[in-house]
Amino acid sequence: MVEIIDGGVTTPQGFKAAGVHSGVKYRSLDLALLYSEVPATACVGYTSNNVKAAPVQVMMKENSDKLQAVVVNSGNANALTGRRGIEDALEMKKVTATELGLDPLNVGVMSTGLIGRFMDMHKIRYGISRAARELFDGRQADANLAEAIMTTDTIKKECAVRVRLTDGTLVYIGAICKGSGMIAPHMKVLHGTTLSLITTDANLSTAFRAKWQEILDGSLNMVSVDGDQSTNDTSILLANGMAGGKCADDDPEFFEALNFVMTKIARTVASDGEGATKLIEVKVSGAESKEDANKLVKTIINSPLVKSAIFGSDPNYGRIMMALGNSGCKFNLEAVRLTIKGGDMEVPILDSGAPVFQDERSVEVVRMAMDNKEVCIMVDLGVGKETAVGWGCDLTYDYVRINAEYAT
């Protein structure tokens, strides 16, 4: 059974972290370091955007199957920076390796922030050196790392659980994530920004990558704040095996626990979308294929009209049906059912393709359901058995303001 605990990325055995101010940002913590006492099996997902930031290019080309440290800076994405950007990402790995006595191949690198700006490597080198001296474990270390990777995030996004595996081994999983805008991840294993670091003391092999892709596809890859996939999206799972026990690749208890952590992180990313006031959850059922179910979820949560309606608690369900019609997925209109849930209220809107309500009093009930911090849109397509769940947020005035002023 999965047990939620108060913890973060240093909760599993053997992990330490630091977050420091290097000077890339004016005042905030802006450089983070995560370290494992022993080499850890690494499963990594990267952005599918064809314009990839320098750290992503370097990681995809230079890293081994084992990582022992990851260095992350915020305030500068090191994207669209040409050959110099590649050299700077390699330098970040090299400096970190030197400070910790590691091989650069065993150091990961991630960046987030403004695109098209060269790195100030004098500041970055200073930050790495300082972070290497301040590595420790515990809740303050978790908090420092979390703050150091934030950009427009308004809250720290972390989670920790413990679970007893089928062989009796007690293992821990910790996760930290940043992401608020330019969020529509489509990360592939071996292939604004969501960066996530997940640690565990479970024993995993590199073969777990296939399951890691499955978990990403059902969690972070089902989040969309604005439909724009970042140049820097990266998700790194580190398993150092320090809990002992058998390889957990095929352990259902571990899979359930990791999936729980990633789903919780995904929901938190969506709820903290830039300017967001509401979390939108979309549940699709009765689809002919998994591809259709996923496609409809993304179409609904990416629709500016749907997102605006949720923001204003406007019961204009025609916008949801418009998104369905534009999704390209197969459905039977005479069998479609649409329900909106908010708080304790679950209100049927359409049944067999026709409206359940007509009078103004019923419309007001729908408005009340939508006037909650979390709004769930449930669509049954009536043509199959496949399902999907995804998360987004409303579109507000503040989203426009934040992104109109981001670089200035």
Side-chain angles (χ1 to χ4, degrees):
M1 187 175 104
V2 180
E3 181 183 356
I4 303 173
I5 58 176
D6 179 27
V9 287
T10 67
T11 298
Q13 296 180 59
F15 286 98
K16 297 179 181 179
V20 302
H21 174 61
S22 72
V24 173
K25 291 181 180 177
Y26 182 56
R27 291 182 180 176
S28 312
L29 303 186
D30 55 22
L31 189 135
L33 190 57
L34 177 66
Y35 172 74
S36 173
E37 294 175 2
V38 298
T41 299
C43 299
V44 189
Y46 304 103
T47 181
S48 295
N49 191 319
N50 288 326
V51 177
K52 291 178 170 61
V56 175
Q57 295 181 55
V58 166
M59 283 276 289
M60 293 180 74
K61 184 178 180 181
E62 298 287 335
N63 282 91
S64 70
D65 293 335
K66 297 281 188 178
L67 291 179
Q68 201 165 346
V70 180
V71 59
V72 190
N73 77 276
S74 61
N76 188 326
N78 194 8
L80 292 178
T81 45
R83 183 61 207 171
R84 175 171 164 178
I86 298 293
E87 291 172 354
D88 288 345
L90 288 168
E91 179 72 3
M92 289 177 68
K93 286 163 53 69
K94 181 179 178 181
V95 172
T96 303
T98 299
E99 290 287 342
L100 298 175
L102 307 176
D103 187 323
L105 290 175
N106 298 123
V107 178
V109 59
M110 301 193 291
S111 298
T112 182
L114 285 170
I115 291 174
R117 305 284 176 90
F118 291 126
M119 302 283 279
D120 186 334
M121 290 305 294
H122 175 73
K123 294 177 180 178
I124 293 293
R125 291 187 197 96
Y126 161 75
I128 293 173
S129 178
R130 182 179 169 189
R133 295 193 302 271
E134 296 185 13
L135 286 168
F136 61 106
D137 57 20
R139 297 302 285 133
Q140 189 59 54
D142 296 333
N144 290 350
L145 186 149
E147 181 182 341
I149 67 175
M150 292 167 69
T151 50
T152 55
D153 306 68
T154 65
I155 58 173
K156 296 182 178 72
K157 303 171 176 72
E158 61 179 354
C159 179
V161 302
R162 62 185 165 208
V163 62
R164 193 166 296 280
L165 304 184
T166 52
D167 69 353
T169 305
L170 183 66
V171 303
Y172 291 82
I173 303 172
I176 188 73
C177 185
K178 67 82 50 185
S180 190
M182 202 186 291
I183 306 298
H186 187 61
M187 292 180 284
K188 294 296 181 183
V189 174
L190 297 176
H191 187 81
T193 302
T194 46
L195 301 182
S196 54
L197 291 164
I198 302 90
T199 59
T200 181
D201 46 18
N203 180 18
L204 298 177
S205 76
T206 55
F208 190 76
R209 283 177 178 156
K211 287 190 171 65
W212 179 232
Q213 182 68 67
E214 183 181 342
I215 288 172
L216 281 177
D217 286 342
S219 56
L220 282 177
N221 284 350
M222 292 304 292
V223 173
S224 183
V225 168
D226 45 28
D228 290 324
Q229 184 183 181
S230 171
T231 56
N232 292 61
D233 288 339
T234 309
S235 185
I236 302 177
L237 168 65
L238 298 176
N240 66 13
M242 290 186 68
K246 298 179 181 178
C247 178
D249 284 7
D250 298 315
D251 194 302
E253 298 294 335
F254 181 78
F255 186 87
E256 180 187 357
L258 183 57
N259 194 57
F260 175 90
V261 167
M262 296 305 294
T263 299
K264 184 170 176 22
I265 289 291
R267 287 175 57 90
T268 307
V269 169
S271 66
D272 191 39
E274 288 173 339
T277 64
K278 298 178 182 179
L279 171 70
I280 304 172
E281 182 174 69
V282 178
K283 294 183 176 180
V284 171
S285 59
E288 186 178 68
S289 66
K290 189 69 174 179
E291 180 183 0
D292 272 5
N294 288 340
K295 190 188 301 181
L296 179 55
V297 167
K298 286 294 186 76
T299 303
I300 292 173
I301 60 178
N302 281 331
S303 167
L305 289 176
V306 172
K307 292 159 74 70
S308 299
I310 298 295
F311 171 57
S313 301
D314 180 16
N316 188 348
Y317 64 86
R319 294 180 174 183
I320 300 171
M321 297 304 292
M322 169 277 299
L324 167 58
N326 282 327
S327 68
C329 67
K330 185 175 179 180
F331 61 93
N332 177 2
L333 186 57
E334 294 182 354
V336 169
R337 288 185 294 170
L338 171 63
T339 304
I340 291 181
K341 181 179 180 181
D344 295 328
M345 304 179 69
E346 186 171 312
V347 186
I349 311 295
L350 285 178
D351 194 358
S352 302
V356 174
F357 63 86
Q358 291 287 323
D359 59 90
E360 284 299 317
R361 186 175 180 181
S362 298
V363 171
E364 188 58 32
V365 172
V366 180
R367 190 188 307 278
M368 291 170 62
M370 296 174 71
D371 194 23
N372 281 274
K373 288 292 185 182
E374 296 187 13
V375 177
C376 182
I377 299 170
M378 296 177 278
V379 185
D380 186 336
L381 297 178
V383 291
K385 296 182 179 180
E386 293 295 333
T387 64
V389 182
W391 305 273
C393 61
D394 55 346
L395 178 59
T396 70
Y397 309 121
D398 277 345
Y399 177 85
V400 177
R401 178 188 58 77
I402 291 167
N403 284 282
E405 301 172 354
Y406 190 80
T408 55

